[in-house]
Amino acid sequence: MIRSMAALGWSLTALAAPASAAQPLPQLVSKDGHHLLMVDGAPFLMLGAQANNSSNYPAALPKVWPVIRALGANTLEIPVAWEQIEPVEGKFDFSWVDTLIDQARREHVRIVPLWFGTWKNTSPNYAPSWVKMDNGRFPRMRTAEGKTHSVLSPHARTTLEADKKAFVAFIAHLKAVDPDNVVIMVQVENEIGSYGLARDHAPEAERLFRGPVPAELIRALGKRPGTWSEVFGEFAEQAFASWHMARYADEIAAAGKAVKAIPMYANSALGDPFNAKSASTSPSGGPQWNMIDVWKAGAPHLDLVAPDIYNRDAREFAALLDHYARPDNALMVPETGNSIDHARFFWAALGKGAIGYAPFGMDATGYSNYPLGGRTLDPATIEAFASKYRLFAPIARTWARIAASNPIWGSAKGADGAAQSGTMGRWRINVQYGQWQFGESDWTWLKSDPNPARDQPVGGVVVAQTGPDEFLVAGSDARLRFGLDKPAAGESAMMVRVEEGTFDEDGSWRMARVWNGDQTDYGLNFTAEPVLLKVKMGVLK
Ligand code: DGJ
């Protein structure tokens, strides 16, 4: 399958060895600005969930799997910490990894291990104590005044070599115990960067900062040579930190991939999506949205950089998706809030061609990261995500293939609940929120009895255009209508046929029923239980 994708012009995005013919390795492939995650040689949509930070022990797993099952997630993201696998320097303990993979295999769930190494939310908390305690050998960053900052310096070869050695041992172990690729992707570090200090000021870092921007970065960005300040102006310190942290993560990823070439990525904490200057310190150095180009140049062995999106505002969420969905970067949302109001952004992410999506804190250990996520992980919250995963799990591979080869558009209800629209070919798609399924909101008696969903943060749709007048539509708590974008005089849109159904495993459409009459007279009305519709439109002249 990989070979046939290559024959069709799909290319591997990151430097990786070819998959073996017997058991294709997971790969990220890209073509014409679209991206596909290939698992077992076929497209895969990651319907993920991330466990809480301290759920990375065998004792916690019994509280993880029930939530993963209730969600219907096909992938679990969970930490593998440096302190855990190398508590004593040079002595490795992979019992956690073995337990995790065995149980995941039994659960038929894929794993994305999160390598908590030099940086975890920027801090070195997950480095082994022999690293944390030895700041001579593993130096921390320095402030301009020479004071110690908590974050480990990216300029220390000793730290990089030690982290890399542990990471490579981990990947080598995976290669040995995971021939069937339960692990489909690896996150390298976690939210790299530093808060409160834009870059290291230790003597070596100072020397590098005063020197020229490396020629390879200049070339990649098409800039004129100069010092960091000359080339990047007010973003010089952030660009400097980003380059060095990207190079650091790249060296770790490259060494891991040389052992087992599966997709690898780095995630980012995010600043204000509309204000690069404020984003530049929150934190500085990670694959923050305004530094993606620097990271692309500095970390070619990473398949993608990914946003951790906890924003609850739909405009902000959409802007962040836009920042990371690029022809040279597959969109994947490795973390988002686990509150009911975050669940609707699944639709927006799919609408930008996301290859994966994962709410954070999805286990029954009782921890809540409110206000980032929900207050409690109650059944209603799980259901807000599970209802969507239920629809997409059986068609995850078909959806991934369709989304990567057709125009796609999505919408999630905004704070104002206003209608949203998009254009696909000659069609204009209009989405309304908070409507009853029957009738128009300006009907007198409906005005006084609005749908309760009107004031709730729920609702969204995703649309794939599979032909000039043909669409696949899925959604929840929304009303969708197709109209002609630019109708000629006397022309109007006509719904020719609307089928509700699903795809069989071989990708063939299986119709359950036709929607007609009340079910189409007032648009296509989605309830809280998402469905998949195949829509054929026509023009009435
Ligand atoms: C983002 C980090 O990547 C996660 O590990 C976690 O700390 C959340 N923030 C907050 O719960």
Side-chain angles (χ1 to χ4, degrees), residues 393-406:
I395 63 165
R397 290 186 182 278
T398 302
W399 183 266
R401 181 177 50 73
I402 289 170
S405 40
N406 292 282

Side-chain angles (χ1 to χ4, degrees), residues 50 53 116 120-121 190-191 267 308 310 335 360 369 372:
Q50 185 164 148
N53 289 164
F116 285 8
K120 155 59 173 101
N121 299 14
N190 191 81
E191 296 195 344
N267 64 331
D308 292 348
Y310 287 91
E335 287 181 44
F360 175 89
N369 70 353
L372 290 189

Side-chain angles (χ1 to χ4, degrees), residues 163-186:
D163 184 326
K164 187 169 71 177
K165 187 170 155 211
F167 185 75
V168 167
F170 163 49
I171 301 294
H173 188 75
L174 273 190
K175 188 180 159 96
V177 301
D178 188 25
D180 46 341
N181 306 312
V182 169
V183 168
I184 55 171
M185 217 182 328
V186 178

Side-chain angles (χ1 to χ4, degrees), residues 174-402:
L174 273 190
K175 188 180 159 96
V177 301
D178 188 25
D180 46 341
N181 306 312
V182 169
V183 168
I184 55 171
M185 217 182 328
V186 178
Q187 181 182 293
V188 180
E189 311 292 343
N190 191 81
E191 296 195 344
I192 298 174
S194 59
Y195 292 102
L197 183 68
R199 67 171 176 93
D200 190 4
H201 290 263
E204 173 61 2
E206 279 301 308
R207 187 187 68 75
L208 289 168
F209 185 70
R210 279 195 299 270
V213 174
E216 47 199 312
L217 181 56
I218 290 289
R219 247 194 327 276
L221 301 184
K223 301 253 191 200
R224 295 244 308 270
T227 64
W228 290 91
S229 298
E230 286 162 355
V231 175
F232 292 99
E234 61 175 341
F235 295 98
E237 296 200 304
Q238 188 197 9
F240 174 80
S242 300
W243 171 256
H244 286 287
M245 290 184 175
R247 297 300 298 140
Y248 190 112
D250 190 65
E251 192 170 327
I252 291 174
K257 282 188 159 190
V259 176
K260 186 170 184 185
I262 56 177
M264 296 191 185
Y265 72 95
N267 64 331
S268 187
L270 300 166
D272 185 336
F274 303 112
N275 181 344
K277 194 56 204 163
S278 98
S280 71
T281 52
S282 50
S284 171
Q288 183 69 251
W289 62 265
N290 67 324
M291 286 290 142
I292 295 177
D293 289 338
V294 173
W295 266 78
K296 286 283 162 193
H301 292 88
L302 291 179
D303 293 75
L304 59 97
V305 291
D308 292 348
I309 317 184
Y310 287 91
N311 306 51
R312 286 169 189 257
D313 177 81
R315 273 182 58 248
E316 291 178 9
F317 205 105
L320 289 165
L321 293 176
D322 275 333
H323 284 315
Y324 286 84
R326 309 180 0 157
D328 65 349
N329 194 65
L331 176 65
M332 177 206 172
V333 183
E335 287 181 44
T336 186
N338 63 352
S339 73
I340 287 187
D341 29 332
H342 281 101
R344 72 192 194 281
F345 298 130
F346 173 74
W347 300 116
L350 282 196
K352 296 282 176 200
I355 61 161
Y357 185 84
F360 175 89
M362 302 308 269
D363 61 45
T365 55
Y367 188 82
S368 150
N369 70 353
Y370 180 80
L372 290 189
R375 284 199 180 92
T376 54
L377 194 56
D378 55 19
T381 308
I382 293 179
E383 176 60 13
F385 293 94
S387 56
K388 296 164 183 67
Y389 283 13
R390 242 187 336 266
L391 180 70
F392 279 89
I395 63 165
R397 290 186 182 278
T398 302
W399 183 266
R401 181 177 50 73
I402 289 170

